[in-house]
Amino acid sequence: MTMRALLIGAQSYDLTGVAEDVTVMERLLADRGFTDLRVCRESAETGYHGMDEALTRLGQETETGDAVVVYYSGHGALLPLPPALREHHPGRPAHLQYLVPSDHVASTTTDFRGYLAEELTAVLRRLTTVTPNVTCILDCCHSGGMVRDPGSWRIKSVRCHVPVEAGVERSVGLATEPRLPDPDMVRLVACQRMGVAYEDERQGLFTAALAQALEDFRSRPVPWSVLITRIRDRVQLSQVLQRPDAGGPSGRLPFSLEVPSQPERLQLRAHGGELRVIGGALFGLRTMDRVRLVFPADGTRPGTEAEAPVTAVDMADVLLTPPGAPVSPLPPGSYALPGRLHTRRPVRIEVGGPLADVLRTRLASSPRLTEADGPSEVLGLVRIRQGKLEVADPAGLPYRRPKEAPGPAETLSTARKIVDLLETIARGERLRGLADPGPDDFPPGNLTARMEVETKPGSHDFREFREGDGLRTGDRYRIDVVGSTRTPLYVWLLGVGLSGRTSLVTHDQPSGIPMEPASGHDGEFGWRSAPVEIWWPEDVPAVGSRPESVLLLVGDRELDLSPLGGAPRRRRSEPAALSALLDELCEGVRDARLSITAASLRYRVFHWHTTVEPPSS
């Protein structure tokens, strides 16, 4: 068996971190036993024909039993087809999806220099007919379904103005090839099909998180399905709207066909009156999380299960308070499984004295926040500037208007308000990152949505919003959604404002607005929102552009989603599937005990992310 890898780094347009991505992956795979490492980083190798030749040669030389990795870092593109081409090729997808080679700009009407998703699919399908041990890793925008923004982040997508006619013709010629997903291939993608990926000056966020996760678990056999959670958490700490994912047989161990029966089983040790979970911190366990304890029968005691809270973190291990009487000695084979895990966002405290002490105490008891323990990206920082106390975002812009530094009598109330604000911001960020589960046959039929922005205030003339467009205070937008489906569908319009607060825009019908038959279109249903105005809250300083997000959620039943807009929850009446969704978005809690199939709520999510300029003085 030979362990082979093809690493392609197409550093086109404005990207700067691709070379480092490839270097990191080359070193990581060599350390894991890959001996046939093919690296394409020069322009001649990363142009369209160079990429095609390298992938073809890899397919020709791979043998039965080999382990194969195909890795790509660079731009990804998802271009809407011009109306004339859509009419000429009815029934074709509305977008052309492809990797962006280094010579992409040289495309002509007869020579399209984009490596199509269909071409990549065909190559990978041929590989899996030879060996099932194939892993495809894509660090680019729109990478989901393919088989770096504010501050220093660069988006790994490019608005391309090249002729696409030849690309469409090539895509049509490949239409009979099987499309992803390939059941034999592990797919690691930096983002969803309609999503974006980012890099900084050094490298791609996804590749950096992937390398760190593999290094953290180097001596512990955990599958991709566990690693992707750690990768996703690390990427989202960078304050970007990017959601990595793993598809295919992700229960496998990395670069292997082995599938562990209980991938998240953690070793349990008894120490005095406490229980120690070996390596629990690597799995994201922190104080106030809960784990499930499994004690097998040992001849004198029957097998039992129990839950216990995490009470402390000790390096890579976590400590638990045993439920009931101490279990000592532990029955052979005892272990722990992650239970309810909190997603905590780091906060940097740059103040001293009693306020810092109280803040640390409140953060330690917060299930949604934690104090930053290094130079990592943070949700916010608490500091004194020009004698005033402020809570600022990672770019240094205050979330709210700075206040006078508190006196001793105000320390407790000030700390409470700061933590409340940060929890509001964290909740908004979680909602911004709500992932679209993808079609997955829901709803049956076609479903599209678009956001339109008024061309001039009060004109009632709307144009389509495009990714990257910015807005100003007073602008108005509306949402259109249509679909040809017989399934009753309900819509909710949600917003995360520039202040970080969440709102249910359709609050007048919190259980969902039913889509209605479209006028003059048989079998088509739709809904259009009323115009929604962008406004700048008085408590937000009018400096710097601020992020604003609009989300459209389409579901298959009426459910009260008002808690997503800040309303109190009625937990006793919540269906299990809704409760799990609200736990994650409102409380930052992920229940690792629930299987993916346990969620019965079927929904789609459409996102539009923009920035709002401050009002002119």
Side-chain angles (χ1 to χ4, degrees):
M1 180 192 81
T2 302
M3 300 184 76
R4 310 177 188 271
L6 173 61
L7 312 177
I8 300 173
Q11 192 152 300
S12 59
Y13 296 94
D14 60 341
L15 296 180
T16 61
V18 169
E20 180 65 14
D21 286 344
V22 171
T23 299
V24 166
M25 290 300 299
E26 183 180 15
R27 181 172 62 247
L28 185 151
L29 293 175
D31 289 345
R32 287 180 169 262
F34 282 77
T35 55
D36 182 3
L37 282 165
R38 312 169 185 212
V39 181
C40 299
R41 56 165 64 94
E42 303 299 328
S43 57
E45 301 170 316
T46 59
Y48 172 76
H49 294 291
M51 287 174 55
D52 186 50
E53 180 183 348
L55 285 161
T56 300
R57 188 167 64 250
L58 177 68
Q60 293 170 342
E61 297 177 4
T62 295
E63 299 177 354
T64 302
D66 288 352
V68 179
V69 170
V70 174
Y71 171 85
Y72 171 84
S73 175
H75 278 304
L78 189 68
L79 286 187
L81 299 187
L85 286 176
R86 295 184 65 177
E87 292 176 6
H88 186 64
H89 299 286
R92 295 290 302 154
H95 295 80
L96 197 65
Q97 186 175 12
Y98 58 92
L99 305 178
V100 180
S102 56
D103 61 350
H104 174 256
V105 71
S107 296
T108 68
T109 55
T110 58
D111 182 15
F112 179 68
R113 305 289 180 90
Y115 200 83
L116 299 174
E118 292 89 343
E119 293 176 287
L120 181 62
T121 297
V123 168
L124 295 171
R125 282 279 185 177
R126 288 195 291 272
L127 279 170
T128 56
T129 62
V130 178
T131 175
N133 192 358
V134 177
T135 304
C136 178
I137 306 173
L138 302 177
D139 192 350
C140 62
C141 287
H142 314 299
S143 47
M146 181 80 75
V147 168
R148 287 178 190 291
D149 183 285
S152 62
W153 306 121
R154 274 185 301 279
I155 192 170
K156 302 186 78 172
S157 178
V158 60
R159 277 194 184 177
C160 311
H161 300 284
V162 299
V164 298
E165 290 86 350
V168 174
E169 293 297 334
R170 201 160 74 225
S171 172
V172 170
L174 291 165
T176 56
E177 292 288 341
R179 291 186 58 84
L180 294 176
D182 184 329
D184 292 325
M185 181 181 61
V186 176
R187 303 180 302 283
L188 304 176
V189 296
C191 60
Q192 298 170 301
R193 184 173 185 265
M194 301 301 291
V196 293
Y198 294 85
E199 67 163 22
D200 58 18
E201 286 80 2
R202 297 166 296 173
Q203 67 176 124
L205 301 188
F206 172 63
T207 296
L210 168 64
Q212 186 62 57
L214 287 169
E215 187 61 32
D216 288 345
F217 290 94
R218 185 179 182 85
S219 60
R220 186 181 294 273
V222 296
W224 289 118
S225 57
V226 173
L227 288 172
I228 196 64
T229 301
R230 304 295 297 141
I231 293 168
R232 188 179 299 133
D233 289 347
R234 186 176 293 273
V235 167
Q236 293 180 346
L237 286 178
S238 299
Q239 297 292 99
V240 297
L241 300 173
Q242 176 178 341
R243 182 183 173 83
D245 213 345
S250 59
R252 293 177 182 172
L253 298 180
F255 318 119
S256 165
L257 296 177
E258 184 180 349
V259 179
S261 58
Q262 288 184 297
E264 291 195 330
R265 178 186 289 206
L266 303 172
Q267 192 176 5
L268 193 61
R269 297 277 178 82
H271 181 72
E274 292 183 318
L275 293 176
R276 178 179 292 265
V277 180
I278 307 302
L282 296 178
F283 282 79
L285 290 172
R286 296 293 186 271
T287 53
M288 291 179 288
D289 290 341
R290 299 187 69 83
V291 299
R292 181 157 59 96
L293 308 175
V294 181
F295 305 111
D298 65 352
T300 60
R301 289 175 292 195
T304 59
E305 293 190 12
E307 281 199 0
V310 176
T311 56
V313 178
D314 183 16
M315 302 297 285
D317 301 341
V318 298
L319 305 179
L320 315 174
T321 299
V327 181
S328 182
L330 291 178
S334 297
Y335 60 91
L337 294 170
R340 288 175 61 82
L341 310 180
H342 296 79
T343 302
R344 296 175 175 84
R345 306 303 297 267
V347 175
R348 182 166 294 116
I349 300 175
E350 296 183 355
V351 297
L355 179 59
D357 295 337
V358 177
L359 279 173
R360 290 190 172 97
T361 299
R362 294 193 70 90
L363 289 178
S365 62
S366 170
R368 307 171 188 88
L369 304 169
T370 186
E371 184 178 2
D373 56 1
S376 61
E377 294 292 330
V378 295
L379 174 72
L381 49 145
V382 184
R383 63 188 185 182
I384 301 287
R385 285 291 182 273
Q386 298 180 343
K388 292 192 174 183
L389 176 68
E390 65 180 27
V391 181
D393 67 13
L397 297 176
Y399 282 120
R400 300 290 187 268
R401 294 190 182 279
K403 303 265 178 115
E404 295 295 332
E410 302 168 305
T411 299
L412 288 174
S413 63
T414 298
R416 175 182 58 79
K417 291 176 182 177
I418 289 173
V419 172
D420 287 348
L421 168 60
L422 288 166
E423 289 188 339
T424 295
I425 302 298
R427 179 180 175 186
E429 292 302 313
R430 286 193 297 271
L431 186 56
R432 287 188 208 274
L434 176 60
D436 180 13
D440 193 26
D441 296 328
F442 172 76
N446 185 33
L447 185 69
T448 60
R450 57 187 281 168
M451 175 174 169
E452 298 177 325
V453 180
E454 200 170 27
T455 56
K456 292 181 180 180
S459 68
H460 300 284
D461 177 37
F462 288 80
R463 61 168 177 81
E464 185 173 4
F465 173 86
R466 296 182 179 179
E467 181 183 299
D469 286 352
L471 299 177
R472 292 185 175 275
T473 305
D475 285 348
R476 299 197 304 172
Y477 69 85
R478 68 186 184 191
I479 303 298
D480 257 322
V481 56
V482 295
S484 54
T485 173
R486 297 183 181 276
T487 303
L489 297 177
Y490 300 85
V491 299
W492 298 260
L493 187 58
L494 301 135
V496 183
L498 57 89
S499 67
R501 300 178 178 98
T502 62
S503 63
L504 180 62
V505 180
T506 51
H507 57 83
D508 56 326
Q509 297 190 60
S511 294
I513 300 175
M515 289 177 59
E516 298 181 351
S519 175
H521 295 81
D522 188 34
E524 204 170 82
F525 290 76
W527 175 78
R528 172 182 286 179
S529 75
V532 181
E533 183 173 338
I534 300 292
W535 63 286
W536 193 282
E538 291 184 359
D539 59 355
V540 178
V543 292
S545 59
R546 309 288 178 131
E548 177 123 2
S549 297
V550 178
L551 296 88
L552 178 73
L553 193 144
V554 183
D556 65 348
R557 68 197 65 189
E558 292 182 283
L559 289 171
D560 184 1
L561 295 187
S562 56
L564 293 181
R569 295 178 60 182
R570 295 186 288 272
R571 294 178 181 273
R572 292 184 179 180
S573 61
E574 288 176 0
L578 176 62
S579 183
L581 175 65
L582 294 180
D583 276 350
E584 182 164 1
L585 293 176
C586 298
E587 313 299 336
V589 175
R590 177 171 56 88
D591 197 330
R593 301 167 300 180
L594 294 176
S595 66
I596 295 176
T597 57
S600 57
L601 172 65
R602 297 195 300 168
Y603 63 92
R604 294 289 312 278
V605 179
F606 299 89
H607 305 82
W608 296 272
H609 303 297
T610 185
T611 55
V612 179
E613 294 297 322
S616 57
S617 56

